[in-house]
Amino acid sequence: MAECGRKALSLLEAARSRYESLQISDDVFGESGDDSSDNPFYSTSGDSDSDNYIAEVAGGGGGSSGTGPPGSLSRSQAEEEGWMETLQDVTVPAYKETYGPAQKMPATATALDFFQLFVPDNCIQNMVTQTNMYAKKFQERFGSDEGWCPVTAQEMKAFLGFVTSTSVHRCESVLSIWSSGFFSNRSIALKMSQSRFEKILKYFHIVAFRPSQGSNQGLYKIQPFLDSLQQSFGCTFRPSQTQVLHEPLIDEDPVFITTCTERELRKRKKRKFSLWVRQCTSTGFICQISVHLKEGQGTDGLATLKNKPQLHSLVAKQLCQNISGKNTIIFTGPSITSLSLFSEFSKQDIYCCGLLSTRKSDCTGLPQSMLVCGSTPAQRGQSRVMMKGSMSLISWYNKGHFRFLTNAYSPTKQGLIIKRKSGEIPCPLAVEAFAAHLSYICKYDDKYSKYFIFHKPNKTWQQVFWLSISIAINNAYILYKMSDAYTVKRYSRAQFGERLVRELLDLDDCSPTQ
């Protein structure tokens, strides 16, 4: 038993050292865990999307000579296009940016100071102005509201604090604060009456009136705030060389997702917008967000690109428009990974490593022989690679076939997947890097969910607003943990959130509850 324990410990130490070599920092979020098996991008199940598709294709009587995914190349076409099994070394130039916070915060900085790097006083004052304008116009049209008086900046901060408290205390309704039930919170309820809070909630606006023209009409009520938030993300933090493009978990925490019923999942899918992010894989800091409406008449509506490969390619280009020329390495999921996109990015000194799915990915220009399973059973850890220029297409077997497209890692270099139960599994270095970075981002989902605001408004723009506030709080905590302020008072993620709520409410005692 003791020998097994020592062996497991040595494997964990080996995994940790390899994580460090891949530029993943465990310090920001604490322990990174001992296993990457919970990574949805790195599943060891034989029921991978790739295998399901290939089984259908091969079952059709084609084998490797059958019809592959749309746009894929036959063996002769692949040779003509320059795909070959001869491998050559690939080197990514050094990163041209320094990594970390862009400004030094004092050791006395508070949780509110970090939050206001993204939501400053002038932004809150704009909410005050627009809310009062909307209330005035609303009452001119529908009659006066005798219980209303113009909101102040202090009240607006308290309003943000009350709604943010739903993430700290995990309550479904912000109005529970004033109830006598389990989620009541008398310590903050006395700061504002429930009736006053409901009045502010009724009239709350970022943009009171529709602009005469604009590029994103469907999101006009939130777009100025998103633009301001986006600018602040870029000004306050410089990400590491390795970053990931993905859709973060934005509706419920991971525990809910694993336990919810099929009916609850269908209800969840009715959300009318899609949010994608570019995220630093070393810290979890979200560098850029891209919001698209699933319905709408404007050009921002997803309906105009529904079920078309160019949709996710367009999203990726939007998220990466500010990182060209820096030698950034981008990790992508199957819906984004494509040869044409990666080739376009390489011309901008953006290098890529993406998981490939024959169901979800655009396989145009890729050789069928690498996408269709052969007749000979593969062994665990076995891999095949073909190259075209600096681009490598990898097929790796681990209880199922997993395919990767990359120009960021050399196909001649080997890596290891270290798992607690299975030990060491050989793989190309690109596979190890992808699994390590994406596993870390999956753990971020769990950390970020602690700041998920549970308030669920009906209006789409308000859903986007509170989601973006959740992201801002998450980024604020990351900057706090990388600052001198963290060495003075080492607040946990939950304590930081509670402290922020109390500071927004301007309560005298701002120490977090233990």
Side-chain angles (χ1 to χ4, degrees), residues 4 37 52 57 76 88 126-127 184 187 207 221 241 325 350 357 377 421 450 469 485 504:
C4 292
S37 59
N52 287 339
V57 173
S76 59
Q88 60 183 16
N126 179 71
M127 297 177 194
S184 64
S187 64
V207 176
K221 285 180 177 278
Q241 183 178 24
I350 299 174
S357 165
K421 297 181 180 179
K450 296 185 186 304
I469 290 291
L504 284 168

Side-chain angles (χ1 to χ4, degrees), residues 328-377:
T328 304
I329 297 176
I330 294 294
F331 294 93
T332 65
S335 62
I336 292 180
T337 302
S338 74
L339 178 62
S340 60
L341 179 65
F342 284 13
S343 298
E344 183 175 342
F345 275 166
S346 67
K347 299 175 184 178
Q348 305 172 35
D349 294 330
I350 299 174
Y351 299 86
C352 304
C353 181
L355 181 64
L356 194 69
S357 165
T358 52
R359 283 185 179 274
K360 299 179 181 179
S361 304
D362 177 6
C363 295
T364 301
L366 301 178
Q368 291 178 12
S369 60
M370 294 292 291
L371 304 176
V372 178
C373 298
S375 57
T376 305

Side-chain angles (χ1 to χ4, degrees), residues 134-417:
Y134 181 80
K136 181 180 178 181
K137 192 71 174 179
F138 185 92
Q139 292 174 48
E140 288 177 354
R141 182 174 180 180
F142 298 104
S144 63
D145 186 344
E146 296 181 358
W148 169 257
C149 63
V151 66
T152 65
Q154 185 177 3
E155 284 182 313
M156 186 58 71
K157 280 187 178 180
F159 174 77
L160 296 176
F162 280 121
V163 180
T164 300
S165 72
T166 63
S167 67
V168 177
H169 302 291
R170 320 298 281 177
C171 58
E172 286 291 332
S173 171
V174 64
L175 299 182
S176 300
I177 295 171
W178 292 274
S179 71
S180 58
F182 179 79
F183 290 110
S184 64
N185 192 335
R186 299 294 297 172
S187 64
I188 65 175
L190 298 176
K191 191 65 181 180
M192 180 185 291
S193 68
Q194 180 177 345
S195 60
R196 179 58 176 166
F197 175 85
E198 291 178 343
K199 290 293 184 184
I200 299 174
L201 182 62
K202 175 181 179 180
Y203 296 118
F204 175 68
H205 267 72
I206 306 296
V207 176
F209 309 113
R210 181 185 295 272
S212 58
Q213 56 184 358
S215 60
N216 205 347
Q217 290 291 314
L219 292 171
Y220 78 92
K221 285 180 177 278
I222 189 69
Q223 195 61 51
F225 177 77
L226 294 178
D227 293 341
S228 173
L229 197 66
Q230 187 60 68
Q231 184 178 9
S232 65
F233 286 168
C235 293
T236 56
F237 185 81
R238 293 182 292 263
S240 64
Q241 183 178 24
T242 52
Q243 299 165 39
V244 62
L245 309 182
H246 73 122
E247 281 187 284
L249 187 69
I250 64 175
D251 282 328
E252 281 85 13
D253 59 82
V255 175
F256 172 84
I257 296 302
T258 58
T259 59
C260 66
T261 64
E262 183 179 350
R263 179 180 179 182
E264 288 169 327
L265 279 176
R266 285 199 304 268
K267 183 177 180 181
R268 175 176 174 264
K269 292 178 181 179
K270 292 181 180 179
R271 179 170 33 85
K272 295 182 180 180
F273 66 93
S274 175
L275 182 135
W276 292 75
V277 302
R278 175 168 54 85
Q279 187 172 9
C280 171
T281 64
S282 295
T283 62
F285 190 96
I286 290 183
C287 312
Q288 190 165 346
I289 60 178
S290 179
V291 182
H292 297 267
L293 297 180
K294 292 184 178 179
E295 300 174 358
Q297 298 178 352
T299 57
D300 58 308
L302 290 185
T304 59
L305 294 173
K306 190 175 181 180
N307 296 327
K308 295 180 180 179
Q310 64 263 37
L311 166 62
H312 295 123
S313 177
L314 174 63
V315 170
K317 292 174 185 178
Q318 290 176 345
L319 290 172
C320 294
Q321 59 186 348
N322 297 326
I323 61 173
S324 60
K326 298 180 180 180
N327 299 327
T328 304
I329 297 176
I330 294 294
F331 294 93
T332 65
S335 62
I336 292 180
T337 302
S338 74
L339 178 62
S340 60
L341 179 65
F342 284 13
S343 298
E344 183 175 342
F345 275 166
S346 67
K347 299 175 184 178
Q348 305 172 35
D349 294 330
I350 299 174
Y351 299 86
C352 304
C353 181
L355 181 64
L356 194 69
S357 165
T358 52
R359 283 185 179 274
K360 299 179 181 179
S361 304
D362 177 6
C363 295
T364 301
L366 301 178
Q368 291 178 12
S369 60
M370 294 292 291
L371 304 176
V372 178
C373 298
S375 57
T376 305
Q379 296 182 353
R380 193 173 192 184
Q382 183 178 345
S383 62
R384 295 171 52 223
V385 184
M386 290 190 72
M387 291 193 73
K388 177 182 178 181
S390 62
M391 197 71 67
S392 300
L393 176 58
I394 301 169
S395 176
W396 175 70
Y397 185 82
N398 181 25
K399 295 184 178 179
H401 287 275
F402 295 85
R403 296 168 177 85
F404 299 83
L405 187 66
T406 181
N407 62 351
Y409 295 93
S410 176
T412 62
K413 295 182 179 179
Q414 290 297 303
L416 288 172
I417 299 295

